[in-house]
Amino acid sequence: MENENNTTLSEQKTESPKEDSLLPIFEKGLFFHDSYFEDIRKHFETAIDQILDTWGEATSVSDLMSSYRRIRERNLQQENQVMAFSEDDQNHKVVLDVHDFKSGDVKVRVEDNQVVVEGRVEKEEDEFKSMKSFCRRFNFPGKVAMEGVTSAMSSDGVLTIAAPKIPQAA
């Protein structure tokens, strides 16, 4: 799976997406408890472990998300945003942590055979205002039914995108 990372955490002027290309994001329960996310959970945990290893953070399985969230609080850079991929016979899946942007605006859209995920959040503390944003584009190998792409977000801010494969003729 090819991933074009176009993530920035500074102010960025972007064209507004076509409203008809925006996908609905279905609300689900907690990522580690809702059965909807069961098939992608291990991939997500592995991606968290890689980030924790990079930062030299030791953790227990029960403290996995807490340790990861502490790293994100200190450093909201692209390389610290958990992202994982999986595929089976029917779908490609992308799972992406968007917890830090859940209180703002998260959008998923299909654009030119790509899935685009954008997040933006503005915060005000005392007299200061800050804006953080990201944009990630995903290309999937093989033929994908882009009109069938779906997205769901867990109540704790983990976004999952499923892109159905088009069966190859034998």
Side-chain angles (χ1 to χ4, degrees), residues 64-144:
L64 194 66
M65 283 302 282
S66 298
S67 297
Y68 164 68
R69 295 278 186 237
R70 283 192 300 273
I71 289 171
R72 288 292 287 171
E73 284 175 14
R74 292 192 313 255
N75 190 330
L76 200 60
Q77 297 299 313
Q78 167 185 323
E79 57 272 7
N80 299 328
Q81 185 179 31
V82 173
M83 178 176 49
F85 306 95
S86 77
E87 73 174 290
D88 58 27
D89 294 339
Q90 298 169 343
N91 293 295
H92 295 282
K93 285 193 176 177
V94 177
V95 63
L96 180 66
D97 175 44
V98 296
H99 176 265
D100 302 302
F101 299 90
K102 197 169 187 307
S103 65
D105 190 23
V106 176
K107 294 179 181 172
V108 178
R109 70 179 191 278
V110 173
E111 179 182 288
D112 300 326
N113 287 328
Q114 294 181 328
V115 172
V116 180
V117 180
E118 294 177 313
R120 178 184 166 130
V121 66
E122 289 185 25
K123 292 186 179 182
E124 282 189 53
E125 290 182 30
D126 300 322
E127 299 174 18
F128 300 99
K129 203 178 212 184
S130 68
M131 192 276 292
K132 295 180 174 143
S133 66
F134 76 92
C135 179
R136 292 212 175 187
R137 296 175 177 275
F138 301 98
N139 296 311
F140 300 99
K143 295 187 179 199
V144 173

Side-chain angles (χ1 to χ4, degrees), residues 47-66:
I48 291 174
D49 284 337
Q50 290 171 347
I51 289 172
L52 294 176
D53 286 347
T54 299
W55 282 85
E57 293 276 333
T59 185
S60 66
V61 174
S62 63
D63 197 30
L64 194 66
M65 283 302 282
S66 298

Side-chain angles (χ1 to χ4, degrees), residues 18-64:
K18 297 175 194 168
E19 290 301 319
D20 59 357
S21 67
L22 289 177
L23 298 177
I25 300 174
F26 299 101
E27 294 286 326
K28 299 291 182 180
L30 292 169
F31 184 79
F32 287 102
H33 295 96
D34 193 317
S35 63
Y36 179 86
F37 304 107
E38 192 170 348
D39 62 332
I40 191 87
R41 214 172 276 143
K42 270 287 187 227
H43 298 280
F44 189 75
E45 288 175 349
T46 300
I48 291 174
D49 284 337
Q50 290 171 347
I51 289 172
L52 294 176
D53 286 347
T54 299
W55 282 85
E57 293 276 333
T59 185
S60 66
V61 174
S62 63
D63 197 30
L64 194 66

